[in-house]
Amino acid sequence: MFSCFKLNITEDNYEYFIGKYFDVGEEYLDNQKTLVYKELDSYIDRKDNLGAIDGTKLQEDWFKEMSIDVFISHSHADEKLAVSIAGWLYKEFNLSSFVDSRIWGYANDLLGEMNKRYNVINQTATNTTFSYDGCNDAASHVHMMLCTAINKMIDQCESIFFLNTSNSIVTYNNLEKTKSPWIYAEICLVNTIRRKIPERKNNYLLHEDRMMKYFTASKMEIEYNVDFTGFVSLCFKDLLEWYNGRGMFKHSLDSLYKINGLIK
Protein backbone atom coordinates (compact mmCIF):
# COMPACT_ATOMS: atom_id res chain seq x y z
CA MET A 1 0.00 0.00 0.00
CA PHE A 2 1.22 3.47 -0.89
CA SER A 3 -1.57 5.95 -0.14
CA CYS A 4 -4.86 6.30 1.71
CA PHE A 5 -7.71 8.75 1.25
CA LYS A 6 -10.76 9.60 3.34
CA LEU A 7 -13.64 10.36 0.99
CA ASN A 8 -16.04 12.74 2.74
CA ILE A 9 -19.23 11.97 0.84
CA THR A 10 -22.55 13.46 1.92
CA GLU A 11 -26.01 12.23 0.98
CA ASP A 12 -26.26 15.13 -1.46
CA ASN A 13 -23.51 13.45 -3.53
CA TYR A 14 -24.90 9.91 -3.43
CA GLU A 15 -27.05 10.26 -6.52
CA TYR A 16 -24.12 11.42 -8.65
CA PHE A 17 -22.37 8.10 -8.06
CA ILE A 18 -25.28 5.69 -7.56
CA GLY A 19 -27.40 7.05 -10.40
CA LYS A 20 -24.61 6.93 -12.97
CA TYR A 21 -22.24 4.19 -11.87
CA PHE A 22 -24.02 1.56 -9.74
CA ASP A 23 -24.84 -0.74 -12.67
CA VAL A 24 -21.29 -0.38 -13.98
CA GLY A 25 -19.92 -1.30 -10.57
CA GLU A 26 -22.23 -4.29 -10.20
CA GLU A 27 -21.15 -5.73 -13.54
CA TYR A 28 -17.49 -5.07 -12.83
CA LEU A 29 -17.55 -6.65 -9.37
CA ASP A 30 -19.62 -9.62 -10.53
CA ASN A 31 -16.83 -10.41 -12.96
CA GLN A 32 -14.38 -10.53 -10.04
CA LYS A 33 -16.19 -13.29 -8.22
CA THR A 34 -14.18 -16.48 -8.19
CA LEU A 35 -15.99 -18.39 -5.51
CA VAL A 36 -15.69 -22.15 -5.76
CA TYR A 37 -18.58 -23.74 -3.90
CA LYS A 38 -17.26 -27.06 -2.63
CA GLU A 39 -18.61 -29.40 -0.02
CA LEU A 40 -16.67 -29.34 3.24
CA ASP A 41 -15.83 -33.00 2.65
CA SER A 42 -13.39 -31.92 -0.06
CA TYR A 43 -11.29 -30.06 2.56
CA ILE A 44 -11.14 -32.84 5.15
CA ASP A 45 -7.79 -34.60 5.39
CA ARG A 46 -8.40 -38.25 6.15
CA LYS A 47 -4.79 -39.42 5.87
CA ASP A 48 -4.31 -39.37 9.64
CA ASN A 49 -7.92 -40.38 10.38
CA LEU A 50 -8.41 -37.20 12.40
CA GLY A 51 -10.74 -35.67 9.85
CA ALA A 52 -9.32 -32.15 10.27
CA ILE A 53 -10.37 -29.43 7.81
CA ASP A 54 -7.54 -28.09 5.64
CA GLY A 55 -7.90 -24.44 6.63
CA THR A 56 -5.19 -23.23 4.25
CA LYS A 57 -6.86 -24.76 1.21
CA LEU A 58 -10.28 -23.62 2.40
CA GLN A 59 -9.06 -20.02 2.67
CA GLU A 60 -7.34 -20.14 -0.72
CA ASP A 61 -10.57 -21.23 -2.43
CA TRP A 62 -13.14 -19.14 -0.56
CA PHE A 63 -11.10 -15.94 -0.09
CA LYS A 64 -8.98 -15.72 -3.21
CA GLU A 65 -6.41 -12.96 -3.52
CA MET A 66 -6.39 -10.66 -6.54
CA SER A 67 -4.36 -7.75 -7.87
CA ILE A 68 -6.13 -4.38 -7.49
CA ASP A 69 -5.38 -0.65 -7.48
CA VAL A 70 -7.87 0.52 -4.83
CA PHE A 71 -9.34 -1.14 -1.73
CA ILE A 72 -12.67 0.49 -0.82
CA SER A 73 -13.31 0.43 2.93
CA HIS A 74 -16.92 1.14 3.85
CA SER A 75 -19.85 0.53 6.17
CA HIS A 76 -22.13 -2.35 5.24
CA ALA A 77 -24.94 0.21 5.06
CA ASP A 78 -23.01 2.00 2.29
CA GLU A 79 -22.51 -1.07 0.10
CA LYS A 80 -24.48 0.44 -2.79
CA LEU A 81 -22.34 3.59 -2.68
CA ALA A 82 -19.15 1.49 -2.52
CA VAL A 83 -20.24 -0.49 -5.59
CA SER A 84 -20.95 2.79 -7.38
CA ILE A 85 -17.52 4.21 -6.48
CA ALA A 86 -15.97 1.02 -7.87
CA GLY A 87 -17.91 1.56 -11.10
CA TRP A 88 -16.78 5.21 -11.25
CA LEU A 89 -13.13 4.26 -10.76
CA TYR A 90 -13.33 1.54 -13.41
CA LYS A 91 -15.22 3.51 -16.07
CA GLU A 92 -13.61 6.93 -15.68
CA PHE A 93 -10.08 6.08 -14.51
CA ASN A 94 -9.53 2.48 -15.65
CA LEU A 95 -8.70 1.58 -12.05
CA SER A 96 -9.40 -1.81 -10.54
CA SER A 97 -10.99 -1.80 -7.09
CA PHE A 98 -12.17 -4.19 -4.43
CA VAL A 99 -15.35 -4.18 -2.33
CA ASP A 100 -14.98 -7.06 0.11
CA SER A 101 -18.68 -7.39 0.92
CA ARG A 102 -19.46 -8.08 -2.75
CA ILE A 103 -16.64 -10.53 -3.32
CA TRP A 104 -16.30 -12.26 0.05
CA GLY A 105 -19.82 -11.66 1.35
CA TYR A 106 -20.43 -15.38 1.37
CA ALA A 107 -18.34 -15.85 4.54
CA ASN A 108 -21.61 -16.38 6.41
CA ASP A 109 -22.52 -19.14 3.94
CA LEU A 110 -19.30 -20.94 4.85
CA LEU A 111 -19.99 -20.42 8.55
CA GLY A 112 -23.50 -21.79 8.13
CA GLU A 113 -22.18 -24.92 6.43
CA MET A 114 -19.69 -25.49 9.24
CA ASN A 115 -22.34 -25.10 11.92
CA LYS A 116 -24.78 -27.43 10.18
CA ARG A 117 -22.13 -30.10 9.85
CA TYR A 118 -20.42 -29.89 13.24
CA ASN A 119 -22.50 -27.95 15.73
CA VAL A 120 -26.08 -29.28 15.63
CA ILE A 121 -26.95 -30.83 19.00
CA ASN A 122 -30.69 -31.23 18.51
CA GLN A 123 -32.98 -30.98 15.52
CA THR A 124 -36.72 -31.29 15.07
CA ALA A 125 -39.04 -30.61 12.16
CA THR A 126 -39.33 -26.96 13.19
CA ASN A 127 -36.27 -26.09 15.29
CA THR A 128 -32.52 -26.65 15.32
CA THR A 129 -30.35 -26.19 18.39
CA PHE A 130 -26.66 -25.48 17.93
CA SER A 131 -23.73 -25.73 20.31
CA TYR A 132 -22.90 -22.25 21.59
CA ASP A 133 -19.20 -23.00 22.05
CA GLY A 134 -19.00 -24.85 18.75
CA CYS A 135 -20.56 -21.95 16.84
CA ASN A 136 -18.16 -19.51 18.46
CA ASP A 137 -15.22 -21.72 17.51
CA ALA A 138 -16.39 -21.94 13.88
CA ALA A 139 -16.95 -18.17 13.74
CA SER A 140 -13.45 -17.50 15.05
CA HIS A 141 -11.95 -19.61 12.23
CA VAL A 142 -14.03 -18.06 9.45
CA HIS A 143 -13.54 -14.50 10.68
CA MET A 144 -9.80 -15.06 11.03
CA MET A 145 -9.64 -16.35 7.45
CA LEU A 146 -11.57 -13.30 6.27
CA CYS A 147 -9.47 -10.89 8.34
CA THR A 148 -6.24 -12.44 7.06
CA ALA A 149 -7.44 -12.19 3.46
CA ILE A 150 -8.44 -8.53 3.93
CA ASN A 151 -5.04 -7.75 5.48
CA LYS A 152 -3.27 -9.26 2.46
CA MET A 153 -5.46 -7.32 0.02
CA ILE A 154 -4.80 -4.01 1.81
CA ASP A 155 -1.06 -4.71 1.86
CA GLN A 156 -0.96 -5.57 -1.84
CA CYS A 157 -3.17 -2.77 -3.22
CA GLU A 158 -1.79 0.68 -4.04
CA SER A 159 -4.40 2.90 -2.40
CA ILE A 160 -7.14 2.79 0.25
CA PHE A 161 -10.34 4.78 -0.22
CA PHE A 162 -12.33 5.01 3.01
CA LEU A 163 -15.96 6.12 2.55
CA ASN A 164 -16.43 8.55 5.41
CA THR A 165 -20.21 8.77 5.86
CA SER A 166 -22.60 9.02 8.78
CA ASN A 167 -23.00 5.23 8.56
CA SER A 168 -19.31 4.53 9.11
CA ILE A 169 -18.12 7.26 11.49
CA VAL A 170 -19.77 9.16 14.33
CA THR A 171 -18.20 12.04 16.28
CA TYR A 172 -18.41 12.42 20.07
CA ASN A 173 -16.54 15.19 21.89
CA ASN A 174 -14.38 15.82 18.80
CA LEU A 175 -13.38 12.14 18.63
CA GLU A 176 -14.18 10.12 15.54
CA LYS A 177 -15.54 6.68 16.41
CA THR A 178 -16.92 3.65 14.62
CA LYS A 179 -19.28 0.92 15.73
CA SER A 180 -17.94 -1.51 13.12
CA PRO A 181 -15.17 -3.89 14.25
CA TRP A 182 -14.25 -4.43 10.60
CA ILE A 183 -13.76 -0.71 9.91
CA TYR A 184 -11.80 -0.41 13.14
CA ALA A 185 -9.53 -3.30 12.11
CA GLU A 186 -8.99 -1.93 8.60
CA ILE A 187 -8.09 1.58 9.82
CA CYS A 188 -5.74 0.12 12.46
CA LEU A 189 -4.01 -1.90 9.76
CA VAL A 190 -3.68 1.09 7.44
CA ASN A 191 -2.04 3.05 10.27
CA THR A 192 0.57 0.37 10.92
CA ILE A 193 1.17 -1.32 7.55
CA ARG A 194 4.30 -0.73 5.51
CA ARG A 195 4.12 1.86 2.73
CA LYS A 196 5.44 0.75 -0.65
CA ILE A 197 6.31 3.20 -3.40
CA PRO A 198 4.84 2.10 -6.77
CA GLU A 199 7.27 0.56 -9.24
CA ARG A 200 6.58 3.43 -11.65
CA LYS A 201 8.15 5.84 -9.09
CA ASN A 202 10.82 6.85 -11.61
CA ASN A 203 8.09 8.66 -13.55
CA TYR A 204 7.79 11.35 -10.88
CA LEU A 205 9.42 12.87 -7.81
CA LEU A 206 7.95 12.26 -4.36
CA HIS A 207 6.99 15.29 -2.31
CA GLU A 208 9.03 14.00 0.64
CA ASP A 209 7.88 16.44 3.35
CA ARG A 210 4.20 15.96 2.51
CA MET A 211 4.53 12.19 2.23
CA MET A 212 6.15 11.98 5.68
CA LYS A 213 3.10 13.67 7.19
CA TYR A 214 0.86 10.92 5.89
CA PHE A 215 3.35 8.13 6.50
CA THR A 216 3.39 8.92 10.23
CA ALA A 217 0.33 7.74 12.14
CA SER A 218 -0.36 7.41 15.84
CA LYS A 219 -1.69 4.30 17.52
CA MET A 220 -5.43 3.91 17.85
CA GLU A 221 -7.05 3.67 21.25
CA ILE A 222 -8.92 0.56 22.30
CA GLU A 223 -12.23 2.43 22.63
CA TYR A 224 -12.52 2.28 18.85
CA ASN A 225 -11.47 5.90 18.42
CA VAL A 226 -10.62 6.15 14.74
CA ASP A 227 -7.36 7.88 13.81
CA PHE A 228 -7.23 9.27 10.28
CA THR A 229 -3.76 10.82 10.60
CA GLY A 230 -2.51 8.73 7.70
CA PHE A 231 -5.34 9.69 5.34
CA VAL A 232 -5.63 12.54 2.83
CA SER A 233 -9.11 13.98 3.20
CA LEU A 234 -11.12 14.44 -0.02
CA CYS A 235 -14.50 16.07 -0.51
CA PHE A 236 -16.80 15.75 -3.51
CA LYS A 237 -15.20 18.83 -5.11
CA ASP A 238 -11.77 17.17 -4.84
CA LEU A 239 -13.08 14.04 -6.56
CA LEU A 240 -14.45 16.13 -9.41
CA GLU A 241 -11.08 17.89 -9.72
CA TRP A 242 -9.42 14.49 -10.01
CA TYR A 243 -12.01 13.45 -12.60
CA ASN A 244 -11.32 16.57 -14.69
CA GLY A 245 -7.56 16.07 -14.47
CA ARG A 246 -7.49 12.30 -14.89
CA GLY A 247 -5.46 12.47 -18.14
CA MET A 248 -2.54 14.25 -16.49
CA PHE A 249 -0.57 11.01 -16.12
CA LYS A 250 -0.67 7.58 -17.71
CA HIS A 251 -1.78 6.03 -14.41
CA SER A 252 -4.86 7.71 -12.98
CA LEU A 253 -3.75 7.48 -9.34
CA ASP A 254 -0.71 9.60 -10.19
CA SER A 255 -3.06 12.44 -11.13
CA LEU A 256 -4.67 12.18 -7.70
CA TYR A 257 -1.26 12.20 -6.01
CA LYS A 258 -0.20 15.29 -8.02
CA ILE A 259 -3.37 17.24 -7.20
CA ASN A 260 -2.92 16.51 -3.49
CA GLY A 261 0.77 17.32 -3.39
CA LEU A 262 2.02 13.80 -2.73
CA ILE A 263 4.27 13.94 -5.78
CA LYS A 264 5.90 16.86 -7.58
Side-chain angles (χ1 to χ4, degrees):
M1 185 193 74
F2 173 68
S3 62
C4 44
F5 297 90
K6 182 171 69 170
L7 277 58
N8 302 308
I9 301 177
T10 64
E11 292 185 7
D12 295 338
N13 309 138
Y14 282 20
E15 186 55 33
Y16 173 82
F17 293 107
I18 295 175
K20 296 177 63 175
Y21 298 102
F22 178 73
D23 290 341
V24 177
E26 274 220 309
E27 182 179 359
Y28 167 72
L29 293 173
D30 282 345
N31 289 334
Q32 281 188 355
K33 290 183 178 178
T34 55
L35 174 61
V36 179
Y37 281 105
K38 296 182 180 179
E39 297 294 333
L40 283 178
D41 278 341
S42 64
Y43 299 104
I44 296 177
D45 185 359
R46 303 187 185 282
K47 292 180 181 179
D48 55 7
N49 295 318
L50 294 177
I53 295 175
D54 186 340
T56 300
K57 180 61 176 174
L58 185 65
Q59 179 173 329
E60 289 174 353
D61 282 352
W62 281 71
F63 305 105
K64 287 185 179 294
E65 297 177 34
M66 56 191 73
S67 178
I68 58 165
D69 296 310
V70 178
F71 183 99
I72 301 176
S73 177
H74 65 97
S75 163
H76 181 73
D78 291 323
E79 182 176 318
K80 194 170 184 178
L81 177 61
V83 171
S84 302
I85 295 291
W88 180 65
L89 292 173
Y90 177 70
K91 182 176 181 179
E92 305 297 355
F93 301 91
N94 195 32
L95 291 173
S96 60
S97 56
F98 185 81
V99 179
D100 61 335
S101 61
R102 295 303 295 259
I103 308 303
W104 294 335
Y106 40 74
N108 285 337
D109 296 335
L110 174 59
L111 182 55
E113 289 299 314
M114 285 184 167
N115 286 332
K116 284 190 292 185
R117 180 182 181 96
Y118 295 104
N119 295 321
V120 174
I121 56 178
N122 186 51
Q123 190 168 22
T124 67
T126 57
N127 293 291
T128 302
T129 303
F130 294 90
S131 164
Y132 176 80
D133 290 337
C135 288
N136 281 342
D137 188 46
S140 67
H141 281 285
V142 172
H143 290 162
M144 186 56 65
M145 290 178 192
L146 178 57
C147 188
T148 300
I150 288 175
N151 290 353
K152 289 181 179 179
M153 290 294 292
I154 289 176
D155 179 52
Q156 293 171 8
C157 76
E158 180 170 330
S159 188
I160 307 296
F161 282 17
F162 175 72
L163 303 190
N164 184 35
T165 72
S166 58
N167 293 318
S168 57
I169 297 294
V170 293
T171 302
Y172 297 120
N173 297 324
N174 295 321
L175 290 175
E176 292 180 298
K177 297 177 178 287
T178 183
K179 296 180 180 179
S180 167
W182 292 104
I183 288 177
Y184 172 71
E186 289 168 6
I187 300 304
C188 277
L189 178 65
V190 168
N191 280 338
T192 57
I193 204 169
R194 58 180 177 168
R195 301 297 179 99
K196 298 175 291 185
I197 298 174
E199 293 182 358
R200 62 183 186 283
K201 66 179 185 270
N202 293 332
N203 295 339
Y204 51 72
L205 297 175
L206 291 177
H207 218 306
E208 299 290 351
D209 55 341
R210 184 150 174 93
M211 287 306 301
M212 284 306 298
K213 174 184 176 182
Y214 294 110
F215 275 27
T216 304
S218 58
K219 189 174 182 180
M220 195 176 300
E221 297 179 15
I222 198 170
E223 294 85 3
Y224 279 39
N225 292 346
V226 183
D227 181 1
F228 286 108
T229 302
F231 286 73
V232 180
S233 186
L234 302 177
C235 65
F236 182 65
K237 181 181 178 182
D238 298 322
L239 296 177
L240 290 183
E241 183 180 0
W242 179 32
Y243 171 78
N244 292 328
R246 61 191 183 281
M248 193 183 308
F249 291 91
K250 183 177 181 180
H251 196 287
S252 295
L253 283 174
D254 290 341
S255 301
L256 183 62
Y257 301 156
K258 176 68 174 181
I259 290 170
N260 287 278
L262 301 184
I263 62 175
K264 297 179 181 179

